């Protein structure tokens, strides 16, 4: 396995990414960066970055993230994905609740953005409170009602209504309601191309509730 590509030597070629090579070259030139300067920013050799720009190699996900940060853009733009339609206002009357392993949540922000915002009801008890999660990104929670136990690493805090927490999601963390009626919170997270239910609310696909 090579350190720069994450691919095993001699294995099958990776799945082709859509038009990523010319975008890498265009973004580097738009930033007035030489091949050597851009390669140094992302920890690659100039030869390897040149192969990425000419399509002779396909970047791994960590390399895509590093390139996006260096060029001041997003992984979605590097991959040529269409940006989400503008939807700045989320109407309460249109928000349909969804459920993932007992937690009920409502979208509080437009889907497909780098920052995801949810309104969440965490019931008392249940398996979710025992799950320890570790994943890239940041999380911010604000308790609207009820009491919440937030475990970060080896420590734990009880959050009351009006309390907030902001932490690195690579810190092992657990969230559990400690009040009998559960807890309600605002939940904002940043995840790289991942849905909230996959990494934050459990692996089960969301179900609509009525």
């Amino acid at each position: 396995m090579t350190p720069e590509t994450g691919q095993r030597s001699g294995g099958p070629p990776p799945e082709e990414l859509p038009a990523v090579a010319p975008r890498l070259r265009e973004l580097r030139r738009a930033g007035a960066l030489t091949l050597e300067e851009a390669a140094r920013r992302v920890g690659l050799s100039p030869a390897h970055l040149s192969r990425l720009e000419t399509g002779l190699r396909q970047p791994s996900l960590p390399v895509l993230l590093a390139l996006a940060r260096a060029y001041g853009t997003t992984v979605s733009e590097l991959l040529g994905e269409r940006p989400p339609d503008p939807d700045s206002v989320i109407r309460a009357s249109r928000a349909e609740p969804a459920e993932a392993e007992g937690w009920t949540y409502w979208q509080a922000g437009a889907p497909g953005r780098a920052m995801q915002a949810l309104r969440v009801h965490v019931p008392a008890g249940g398996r979710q409170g025992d799950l320890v999660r570790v994943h890239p990104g940041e999380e911010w929670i604000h308790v609207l009602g009820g009491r919440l136990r937030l475990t970060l690493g080896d420590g734990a805090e009880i959050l009351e209504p009006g309390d907030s927490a902001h932490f690195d999601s690579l810190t092992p963390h657990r969230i559990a309601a400690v009040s009998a009626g559960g807890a309600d919170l605002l939940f904002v997270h940043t995840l790289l191309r991942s849905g909230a239910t996959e990494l934050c609310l459990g692996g089960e696909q969301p179900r609509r509730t009525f």
Side-chain angles (χ1 to χ4, degrees), residues 7-15:
Q7 300 291 336
R8 294 186 180 277
S9 300
E15 183 180 350

Side-chain angles (χ1 to χ4, degrees), residues 33-46 49 70:
L33 293 171
T34 66
L35 198 64
E36 290 74 16
E37 289 170 336
R40 185 168 58 252
R41 287 191 180 189
V42 296
L44 300 176
S45 68
L49 181 55

Side-chain angles (χ1 to χ4, degrees), residues 91-167:
R91 300 292 182 186
S93 59
R94 291 183 175 180
E96 295 186 30
E99 185 178 304
E101 297 187 354
W103 289 24
T104 304
Y105 66 96
W106 297 258
Q107 288 285 348
R113 304 287 176 86
M115 182 177 69
Q116 297 285 312
L118 304 169
R119 181 165 55 91
V120 184
H121 176 74
V122 182
R127 190 174 71 86
Q128 285 277 15
D130 297 327
L131 294 178
V132 178
R133 298 174 176 84
V134 179
H135 52 83
E138 296 181 29
E139 294 186 25
W140 176 85
I141 59 176
H142 177 81
V143 180
L144 299 172
R147 301 171 70 237
L148 196 74
R149 177 186 294 110
L150 172 65
T151 302
L152 288 174
D154 296 328
E157 298 280 350
I158 300 298
L159 303 184
E160 307 281 350
D163 290 344
S164 302
H166 186 182
F167 54 92

